[in-house]
Amino acid sequence: MVGDFAHVPDARPVAVASRSAERAAAFAGQHGLERSHGSYADILADPDVDVLYLATPHAQHHAVALAAIEAGKPLLVEKAFTATTPGAEEVVAAARDAGVFVMEAMWTRFQPAVVALRELVADGAIGEVRSVQADLGVDRVYDPADRLFALELGGGALLDLGVYVVSFAQMLLGAPDTVTAAGSTYPTGVDAEAGLLLGWDDGRCATLTTSLRYPTPGQARVFGTEGWIDVLPRFHHPDTIVLHRTGAEPETITRPASGVGYSHELAEVTRCLQEGRTESATMPLADTLAVERVLGQAAEQLGVAHREDPAALAV
C-alpha cells in the first residue's frame, strides 16, 4: 500500500501507528515516513494526518473507526469492513451522522480491468446480467496462533477471502433476497471453507466459493442474456477480461493496474476528499452494508460467531 502512493499525485504517506511503538518506528524507518505513533489514539490526534488507512485485524476495525469518526478523521477501512453486521451498521451510521468520509478498501472495484467490465455491462454488451460465479481459495496450514484462524481477531475464510466474491456479486447484482451457505469450521470456531448460493426473487443467482482449506483458480464469470465475461485469475485484482458476445469471437481486454494495484482506491479517496464528498459513488457504504449482511448470514449458518474487539484502542 505505501509503495503505491508513488502513483497518486495528490497524496503521500506521512505517519504510521501501531500498539507497539517499536514496530511503528521500524515501519516508518523502512518506508521513509516522517513519524510514528505508539498507539492508535495518538495518530487520531495527529493534526497533520488528513485521512487514515485502517488495516488492523477485522475485529478491531469497529472500535478504531468509531474513534476516528469522533475525531473527524476520514477513513479508508480495509475489508472486511467489520467483524459483524451490527458493527458495520454502527460505523456507517456514525460516519453519516458526523459527515465524515468513510470507504471500504475494496480495491477490486477500482482495478482498471474491473472498471472496463462494469462499463461493458452498463453498455449492454452481454445483455441483462443473470448470474455470477466467483471463487477465491488458498491452501493454508491450520495454525491456531495465526490471525487467520483466530476467532477473536475475525479470522476465517469468509471475512478474509469470501468478502471478495460476495462484493463482486453484489457489485453486479445488488443485495440478494436469500443466502444459503454450506461449509466447515476449524477447532478455533472460524470457518475453513464456504460455498454460498445467493438468490434474487426474480431468478438471478450467484454461486460463490471461498476457502482456507484448498486452493482455487480465483476466477470470476459474469453471465448475461446475450453473452458472458470471464475475469481471469486472480479476479480480485485482474489485468485481463474476456468478452464473449453471443455469435461473435471472444474479445480480450487487458487493463493493467498502476503499481501493485492499491493506487486506484487511494486516488478515489483523494478525489472524494478534494471534492468534499463523504462517500464514494464506486464503493458506497450501502454496498458495504449489503456485503456485510451476506457475510453475517453465511457465518451464522456455519455456526461462526464473530464479535468486535471493544479494547482495540488500548496500547
Side-chain angles (χ1 to χ4, degrees), residues 29-71:
Q30 179 182 353
H31 296 285
L33 304 185
E34 296 171 6
R35 55 196 176 279
S36 63
H37 296 285
S39 75
Y40 302 143
D42 284 351
I43 201 168
L44 296 183
D46 188 330
D48 296 323
V49 171
D50 297 317
V51 56
L52 292 169
Y53 167 57
L54 176 51
T56 62
H58 305 127
Q60 299 174 7
H61 292 178
H62 171 260
V64 179
L66 289 177
I69 291 166
E70 185 177 359

Side-chain angles (χ1 to χ4, degrees), residues 51-308:
V51 56
L52 292 169
Y53 167 57
L54 176 51
T56 62
H58 305 127
Q60 299 174 7
H61 292 178
H62 171 260
V64 179
L66 289 177
I69 291 166
E70 185 177 359
K73 294 288 190 189
L75 285 171
L76 177 63
V77 182
E78 192 51 74
K79 56 80 203 164
F81 192 71
T82 54
T84 68
T85 301
E89 292 170 342
E90 188 175 358
V91 170
V92 168
R96 288 173 171 168
D97 289 346
V100 174
F101 176 88
V102 175
M103 187 183 93
E104 181 183 5
M106 179 50 68
W107 69 331
T108 302
R109 296 209 179 187
F110 303 96
Q111 302 300 307
V114 175
V115 172
L117 177 147
R118 296 182 74 174
E119 290 171 348
L120 287 170
V121 168
D123 290 342
I126 59 170
E128 180 191 4
V129 175
R130 298 296 299 172
S131 182
V132 171
Q133 294 176 350
D135 66 80
L136 194 59
V138 297
D139 179 16
R140 290 294 293 263
V141 176
Y142 175 63
D143 177 4
D146 189 314
R147 68 149 187 101
L148 282 175
F149 306 101
L151 185 64
E152 68 275 12
L153 296 178
L158 280 170
L159 293 187
D160 216 74
L161 300 174
V163 62
Y164 284 115
V165 294
V166 173
S167 185
F168 187 81
Q170 190 277 333
M171 174 184 74
L172 293 159
L173 296 171
D177 297 301
T178 60
V179 177
T180 304
S184 64
T185 58
Y186 287 113
T188 53
V190 303
D191 54 294
E193 59 193 336
L196 306 183
L197 175 61
L198 310 186
W200 282 258
D201 289 344
D202 63 0
R204 292 174 297 147
C205 69
T207 51
L208 312 173
T209 303
T210 187
S211 178
L212 292 173
R213 181 162 273 166
Y214 56 86
T216 73
Q219 184 158 335
R221 183 168 280 178
V222 183
F223 297 96
T225 54
E226 299 175 21
W228 72 91
I229 300 173
D230 287 325
V231 186
L232 302 190
R234 309 274 272 174
F235 83 88
H236 60 308
H237 57 111
D239 285 340
T240 302
I241 61 175
V242 182
L243 170 62
H244 300 262
R245 301 178 194 260
T246 301
E249 290 297 313
E251 301 174 42
T252 299
I253 300 165
T254 299
R255 298 283 189 275
S258 296
V260 179
Y262 297 107
S263 61
H264 304 288
E265 64 181 354
L266 294 174
E268 172 74 359
V269 172
T270 302
R271 182 185 64 80
C272 287
L273 293 178
Q274 289 173 334
E275 296 176 357
R277 299 179 182 273
T278 56
E279 291 192 33
S280 163
T282 304
M283 188 65 242
L285 293 173
D287 284 14
T288 292
L289 287 178
V291 170
E292 285 281 342
R293 287 166 182 149
V294 171
L295 295 172
Q297 290 179 65
E300 183 178 7
Q301 291 178 33
L302 296 179
V304 176
H306 288 298
R307 56 187 181 273
E308 310 294 352

